Amino acid sequence: ILQPGEVMGFVGPNGAGKTTTLRILAGLLKADGGEGHVLGAPVRGGRDKIRGLVGYMPQRLALYGELTVEQNLAFRAEVYSLPRPREAVAGIIERFGLTDYAGQRAEWLSGGWARLLQFAASVIHGPKLILLDEPTAGLDAPAKLEVWRRIGLFAGEGAGIIVNTHDLVEAEQCDRVTIFAGGRVAASGDPASVAAGLSIRTL
């Protein structure tokens, strides 16, 4: 069970099942077995409700390159049917430090700023659960630190966060780590113990 304010790391190589699991939790893929709940909604049968409750950021950028930063966020606000979309867009632009880039096309942003824009678009509706698939992939060190700083801020405000990564060193910034291998959970526990090869909880 993921607690409010907790950051969970899903760790494993490509093909281990991390992304599939995250997409099921986001309501984007249908689970073919098992049981579980996401913010009270069942993963089997509750996909439509789940999609409106969580914030999901895929590894590949899901932005409209020809649209500006502001237009991308306005579109996302419309998707979530936010009651005051202009205020929501203005607020998230300020929060993510995107003010100077608001009128710039997304395709002209650097990798770090594009990733922050995608992060902002994923949380514009104020989700209590945030799912991030390889959020620092391809970024340089300063950009990675900025993404993790943002993760910490949202966790500090009570959001539960799951981060997919293949880097166990990076996952040490999480509160808990779950190791995936061959499509199954191999171990779970605090990062230090898992990194040392001590399986606190084998599922």
Side-chain angles (χ1 to χ4, degrees):
I1 298 175
L2 184 70
Q3 301 297 327
E6 185 178 26
V7 181
M8 167 77 80
F10 283 178
V11 184
N14 292 334
K18 306 186 307 297
T19 293
T20 297
T21 301
L22 214 64
R23 287 174 63 82
I24 290 173
L25 294 176
L28 299 175
L29 286 181
K30 182 179 179 180
D32 56 11
E35 300 292 338
H37 290 78
V38 176
L39 299 176
V43 293
R44 300 180 69 185
R47 292 167 59 203
D48 290 341
K49 182 177 181 180
I50 289 172
R51 284 195 290 267
L53 294 175
V54 307
Y56 171 69
M57 186 173 83
Q59 180 178 350
R60 295 183 63 180
L61 291 177
L63 303 171
Y64 292 97
E66 71 277 11
L67 299 183
T68 66
V69 167
E70 186 173 21
Q71 289 169 337
N72 269 280
L73 293 170
F75 171 75
R76 192 61 66 94
E78 182 178 348
V79 167
Y80 286 112
S81 301
L82 299 185
R84 292 183 292 276
R86 290 186 179 180
E87 292 180 21
V89 170
I92 205 72
I93 284 176
E94 181 178 1
R95 172 161 193 172
F96 276 81
L98 291 163
T99 302
D100 292 342
Y101 302 95
Q104 184 168 312
R105 288 169 61 150
E107 63 188 0
W108 294 342
L109 295 174
S110 68
W113 284 111
R115 194 59 57 89
L116 285 178
L117 171 58
Q118 179 148 306
F119 198 160
S122 301
V123 298
I124 192 171
H125 56 306
K128 295 298 183 183
L129 174 62
I130 301 172
L131 309 173
L132 307 173
D133 194 358
E134 300 281 358
T136 63
L139 300 183
D140 59 20
K144 287 183 178 182
L145 289 174
E146 180 61 17
V147 169
W148 277 101
R149 187 179 76 84
R150 299 284 174 177
I151 291 172
L153 289 174
F154 278 98
E157 294 174 2
I161 302 174
I162 299 177
V163 181
N164 270 2
T165 179
H166 62 271
D167 187 346
L168 187 55
V169 173
E170 188 172 63
E172 290 179 358
Q173 299 182 71
C174 299
D175 299 306
R176 279 192 293 149
V177 169
T178 295
I179 304 295
F180 281 75
R184 296 179 179 275
V185 173
S188 184
D190 69 87
S193 296
V194 170
L198 299 176
S199 178
I200 290 180
R201 181 164 56 111
T202 301
L203 302 180

